[in-house]
Amino acid sequence: MSTAKDRAPGPAGSGLNDDIGEEKRLALYRSQVRLRDAEQRAFDLFLQNLVKGTSHLSLGQEAIAAGFAEAMVKGDLSFCTYRGHAHTLARGVPVEKVLGELMQKDNGLMRGKGGSMHLTSEEHGVMGSYAIIGAHLPIACGAAWRAQYRGDKDVSVCFFGDGTTNIGAFHEALNFAAVWKLPVVFVCENNLYMEYTPIKDVIPIPQPAADRASAYGLERILIDGNDADIVYRTAQKAFARARAGEGPSLIECLTYRHSGHSRADPAKYRPEGELEEWKKHDPVKLYRERLKQFGVTDEVIAEIDASVRKEVDDATEACKAAPSPPLDIITTDVYADGGWAWRN
Amino acid sequence: MSTAKDRAPGPAGSGLNDDIGEEKRLALYRSQVRLRDAEQRAFDLFLQNLVKGTSHLSLGQEAIAAGFAEAMVKGDLSFCTYRGHAHTLARGVPVEKVLGELMQKDNGLMRGKGGSMHLTSEEHGVMGSYAIIGAHLPIACGAAWRAQYRGDKDVSVCFFGDGTTNIGAFHEALNFAAVWKLPVVFVCENNLYMEYTPIKDVIPIPQPAADRASAYGLERILIDGNDADIVYRTAQKAFARARAGEGPSLIECLTYRHSGHSRADPAKYRPEGELEEWKKHDPVKLYRERLKQFGVTDEVIAEIDASVRKEVDDATEACKAAPSPPLDIITTDVYADGGWAWRN
Amino acid sequence: MAEISYRDAVTRGIAQEMARDPDVVFLGEDVAKPGGCFKATVGLYEQFGGVRVRDTPISEQAILGAAMGAAMTGLKPIAEIMFSDFIAVCFDYIANEFPKARYMSNGQTKCPLVVRTANGAGSRFGAQHSQSVENWCMMIPGLKVVAPSSPIDVVGLMAAAVRDPDPVIFFEHKSLYNSKGEVPDGEILDTLGTAKILRPGKDCTIVALALMVPRALEAAERLRIDHGIDCEVIDVRSLVPLDTKTILGSVAKTHRLFTVEENPRLCGWGAEIVSIVADEGFYDLDGPPVRITTPHIPLPAADIMEDVVLPTPQRIMETIRRGLGS
Amino acid sequence: MAEISYRDAVTRGIAQEMARDPDVVFLGEDVAKPGGCFKATVGLYEQFGGVRVRDTPISEQAILGAAMGAAMTGLKPIAEIMFSDFIAVCFDYIANEFPKARYMSNGQTKCPLVVRTANGAGSRFGAQHSQSVENWCMMIPGLKVVAPSSPIDVVGLMAAAVRDPDPVIFFEHKSLYNSKGEVPDGEILDTLGTAKILRPGKDCTIVALALMVPRALEAAERLRIDHGIDCEVIDVRSLVPLDTKTILGSVAKTHRLFTVEENPRLCGWGAEIVSIVADEGFYDLDGPPVRITTPHIPLPAADIMEDVVLPTPQRIMETIRRGLGS
Ligand SMILES: Cc1ncc(C[n+]2csc(CCOP(=O)(O)OP(=O)(O)O)c2C)c(N)n1
Ligand SMILES: Cc1ncc(C[n+]2csc(CCOP(=O)(O)OP(=O)(O)O)c2C)c(N)n1
Ligand SMILES: [Mg+2]
Ligand SMILES: [Mg+2]
């Protein structure tokens, strides 16, 4: 786990002039609130039958998406899973684009062709969300290989869950990245569960990712994934290492999802009290307290909360009003010529 | 590496009454000579154009096959790779059956239908040789699961190379076996090379298997794979653990192949002197010296050498005289009804 | 006799076989305590216990490999691959291990197992969770491939698959889980390799599978009512073994063939059946044999798009009407 | 103009493209320093250096995944999968990732890469190293699939594949590596999606691919000499895009179709082509379209067995002769 030093770099109330600084702290807070509100809205819209297909929320896991995204710079690349709304939003993709895709509207990121599990916004560095467990770890290696080959300074960041550490592609990617010393950062969001089965039931070691780092010659990194400051600092360190040509990192972030695995899941399998215990360590709440400790006023916080709320409300309205996608896009973009012709 | 204690349990010349004992030592020697001679013969027959298709010899690696097989009891199961002749022979399969398959004769183990890479003799516990890297590790788990489920006391032993530790199935199998505490023993024969590329070029750790054991909560076991006594003792320990319900083991055996990867390979990629250095540590030579240290006479050794030579000679003649398989078996045994009908 | 859902029929089929034979074991992701991601195995864990019904890590290769090793040594495993699209991450077992072991060993190695998996579109899950991939298995020599369309067939074919001495890939259709049908009480055992003529007819033969079966029946009904066209509808049920007799016999009677499949265009089972009929039944055919398929594209997620790419009763009807020149 | 082997044509095609475009990189197992398990890439490491030509661990998923990530972000990778049978261990990239990324992202994601792999039988390697699996790829929407039969086509189609903006699976035939043919000097660039009529004829159309092309030509020659049958032989070369115009045009002229493929019986590309012709060219056909394939069995290892299961010139000849009733 993180050390006390990581957790609280300056004494509470000492002002914002620590290593993170005011601007970044406010950005980290805004981002987390934005993810929280947008995902909560997605859930509400689902209850209203306006979100179709499946959807996998990151409620409770916001500090990871926010912390990494705030440590990234333009050009850095994110590779996400089906649980990728938060990571997509955290890179600056408009809420409307994400909700639009969930609502299968024409204003969605991929105009409804991809769906909630495949959010992609290359202009924001979101290089796709992948719904086959583990598939994107090797793909992130490839993007990092390109950076290494060309001397580009960007980092590829690949997010995945605890359960993903047991699939073959995880192993192949970690070894490959380590041997080739690729500028890729693997982020395991350990939320204690796969779909409905606890991760501890299916691994012979306590930590699914951290306890395997040594198999790839990597440092063991296990952090509190609900503390955005810790996440941010850990990300910075890993990115610096990657950009310096020192190779990949594997970071395990402890966290918890507040909702079920997907929209279909009421999460009945969790032991009583577990959710409540974790809610005490809610990343958004924690960070609001943190800001206050650093002297940020209630007014500033309220202003952020309100402006995010408005963004999400506006996005919701825009999505409700948006048309469905036209059917003629069904056969576009199968091939690079824009079409789908497999014959002459 | 193995300790001095492992290497020489009794002072030289002190007689055969150590933990291994005379009978087993002679069996270990006979087995290694048998593998050596049979494989050398396969190579000669290949030069005479009588072995067709490919073939992957274990010359130099005999102590592993012999040591494990001698520690196995009837009912224990072997899962091999394309480099499986040695393991097949070590379980007692007649040389004729193996050479016959390599020569694609009707007396071959599978009458020419499988070929050198797929030697299988279920009556001897040889549950197949698998030519897709890594595929048999999960399969061995399944056999061990059956033993666990039924309360059978047999152990499943799965042999594979250093290069195999980088494929996804390795990781999935190790985790699966560890979590389910299956009676399976994974044996990595680290002969320093994959096909033509050194293993050290493609891993970020010194030992491909041993340095990964901890990722599955397993003990790090790295032994001299050219010393049949060490192999035998290590196998016994792992089997006892498996039979006691304590779960799998992962054993890395250091060794070296004297010939190329397959019949097509002159092995030019090896640094000068490497082969010669390893030949000083030849398992057969080493074991012959060991027997002498323990007071076995030259006559006894010569008798074993001669009888093995005769077995291989006889097998060779039988194979040369054997007919080719009849063509009507081409369509048998696709399905369990004996035939190949996919339609009515 | 009771009306049960296709979903419950899965549980019932498995339970029937597990109760009958202690060698039948069941493994997969979230199949035991949680009862399966599609709730198609609820209660098996409670009924048969955690030793026979086991949750696994997310390790599809380990799941299928373990099933194979267990099958080779005497058990009769049923392995779940949650979505059929995930067959791609463990395809080596499907393509290279299960189907070749017996042959390569000259008959020594046995591999009696069932892989059951949720196949097909309709849930708006997008391109990686909606495919119909039964042709990925049909094309591999040594496998058997089944895809039932009704609860009673689910039970009976599941029993047949479990008792079969060969590896059987059992495709359940996600969009049929909620469908219902009458299932008699007591043991049910069907036969692999048998198609069913669900509706006799004389003007053309429609061969369909899984979700396409109710759609073909609906199209046939509308063709009768609106156009007086009398279609024979065959539920092919089992792709391997393939009941070519029933299909060729039907075409010999109707002289026209339409296949309705959810696969994308190229190399689906429709192509196989059309090719067989075009060759062996050439002189029976009075007009071109026509495949009705999903277009050769990845599947879109949005409901309105997904709904139009799969063959609909409307499209089936129009294609047949046009094809018959009515 | 020089006579070079099919094997050397592979190297030449790759070298031509690597010399032209610094974004072309090449990775695979034993491809760099050792020059490839089939020696088809000897010299590339020396010519282009270890940064562009890289040996990998035995990690097929990492190889294809890395190729994809590099392709998405601007490189043009060529990835080798040593034997095409191993596509089964990385099939997720072939089936679910490469071909769907562009579509799912509504056109944002690009995936310009080439997977080259040694396909086919003839080396007595047995069931797991001898398969013809081009249909495993043809059936997946979003891929392009090429399988050349001659050195000149290897060079030209390799160049076209590397320059193509879509994922291309490039099947080299193991048993053709030693075959030779004239290849002009200088840059060669061919076009995907074009079949070649290698021999014009009027009595029937033979469509073949890869190793089956020389066999079809040999059969055609014997049919002319022994039976006066004049066959048109088409090398289909590219399965996706598929040159249906050339095939349908030929059948319109000859009125009979025979496909010759190395795939096992079910759901091969022969079934697809027969189905297309049976539908769209039905009234052109004077007799049944016939598929000549390997039987639907795993491949045996022994030479005498392997030799009889693949379509031989003899079997092709006899099937056509019988089919034409001569
Ligand atoms: C290869 C594959 N197997 C199974 C699944 C089904 N599946 C989707 S999410 C999931 C659980 C993943 O757990 P984890 O990696 O912990 O991520 P989380 O959902 O908790 O974020 C499973 C099994 C899949 N999508 N792909
Ligand atoms: C999935 C897969 N990839 C690649 C190969 C080709 N291949 C056969 S043997 C081999 C090298 C294996 O090396 P190692 O595991 O060290 O075993 P060794 O041959 O040294 O015994 C390779 C790459 C294969 N058979 N299967
Ligand atoms: Mg999780
Ligand atoms: Mg090796």
Side-chain angles (χ1 to χ4, degrees), chain B residues 56 61 81-83 131-134 160-165 167 189 191 193-195 199 257 261, chain D residues 29-30 58 60 82-83 86 89 129:
Chain B
H56 302 77
Q61 306 184 196
T81 68
Y82 51 91
R83 196 181 304 289
I132 307 285
I133 292 290
F160 52 90
D162 43 280
T164 302
T165 61
I167 202 154
E189 303 187 54
N191 61 10
Y193 292 88
M194 305 184 289
E195 291 209 354
I199 184 68
R257 62 168 151 74
H261 164 72
Chain D
E29 294 159 16
D30 300 299
I58 306 175
E60 278 79 4
M82 197 186 273
F83 285 72
F86 310 162
V89 302
H129 278 68

Side-chain angles (χ1 to χ4, degrees), chain B residues 95-111:
Chain B
V95 176
E96 180 190 333
K97 291 267 169 202
V98 170
L99 289 182
E101 188 65 25
L102 270 61
M103 292 165 75
Q104 308 188 341
K105 294 301 187 79
D106 199 36
N107 64 342
L109 255 184
M110 300 94 73
R111 303 181 74 189

Side-chain angles (χ1 to χ4, degrees), chain B residues 43-310:
Chain B
F43 187 73
D44 297 344
L45 289 166
F46 154 58
L47 292 179
Q48 296 164 49
N49 225 6
L50 293 173
V51 162
K52 296 162 197 173
T54 184
S55 78
H56 302 77
L57 306 178
S58 298
L59 293 172
Q61 306 184 196
E62 294 88 350
I64 301 167
F68 274 94
E70 289 301 327
M72 289 188 227
V73 297
K74 202 172 151 55
D76 288 340
L77 304 177
S78 304
F79 293 82
C80 317
T81 68
Y82 51 91
R83 196 181 304 289
H85 317 166
H87 294 290
T88 302
L89 290 165
R91 294 304 304 279
V93 175
V95 176
E96 180 190 333
K97 291 267 169 202
V98 170
L99 289 182
E101 188 65 25
L102 270 61
M103 292 165 75
Q104 308 188 341
K105 294 301 187 79
D106 199 36
N107 64 342
L109 255 184
M110 300 94 73
R111 303 181 74 189
K113 285 173 81 169
S116 78
M117 297 202 283
H118 300 292
L119 299 179
T120 305
S121 183
E122 296 210 352
E123 64 172 303
H124 296 91
V126 181
M127 302 303 289
S129 300
Y130 298 78
I132 307 285
I133 292 290
H136 60 316
L137 281 81
I139 296 171
C141 290
W145 172 34
R146 178 266 324 152
Q148 181 185 67
Y149 178 75
R150 291 204 170 151
D152 296 342
K153 279 296 164 212
D154 59 279
V155 175
S156 292
V157 189
C158 182
F159 302 96
F160 52 90
D162 43 280
T164 302
T165 61
N166 294 325
I167 202 154
F170 166 86
H171 179 66
E172 295 193 13
L174 264 291
N175 183 65
F176 190 88
V179 176
W180 286 25
K181 280 189 173 279
L182 297 176
V184 55
V185 175
F186 297 104
V187 182
C188 176
E189 303 187 54
N190 182 354
N191 61 10
L192 311 193
Y193 292 88
M194 305 184 289
E195 291 209 354
Y196 319 127
T197 302
I199 184 68
K200 69 173 165 37
D201 290 1
V202 298
I203 50 172
I205 44 177
Q207 301 307 137
D211 287 342
R212 283 165 173 163
S214 69
Y216 312 105
L218 300 176
E219 190 192 337
R220 183 178 195 279
I221 305 177
L222 176 65
I223 63 168
D224 179 354
N226 281 11
D227 186 327
D229 283 352
I230 295 174
V231 172
Y232 177 76
R233 287 196 192 94
T234 309
Q236 279 190 313
K237 249 190 273 176
F239 295 172
R241 172 180 152 88
R243 292 193 227 277
E246 290 161 24
S249 300
L250 172 61
I251 299 168
E252 180 172 334
C253 306
L254 281 179
T255 188
Y256 196 77
R257 62 168 151 74
H258 291 173
S259 52
H261 164 72
S262 67
R263 54 178 274 175
D265 172 27
K268 293 262 173 61
Y269 43 83
R270 309 202 275 208
E272 206 166 333
E274 188 179 77
L275 174 61
E276 291 63 35
E277 207 49 51
W278 275 92
K279 279 203 166 167
K280 292 183 195 152
H281 195 49
D282 178 321
V284 178
K285 208 176 73 178
L286 177 156
Y287 213 76
R288 195 177 289 125
E289 293 311 314
R290 176 79 39 84
L291 289 188
K292 290 184 188 168
Q293 282 170 17
F294 276 93
V296 178
T297 62
D298 285 346
E299 288 67 37
V300 171
I301 291 173
E303 190 281 321
I304 293 176
D305 292 353
S307 83
V308 165
R309 178 60 47 96
K310 179 160 171 9

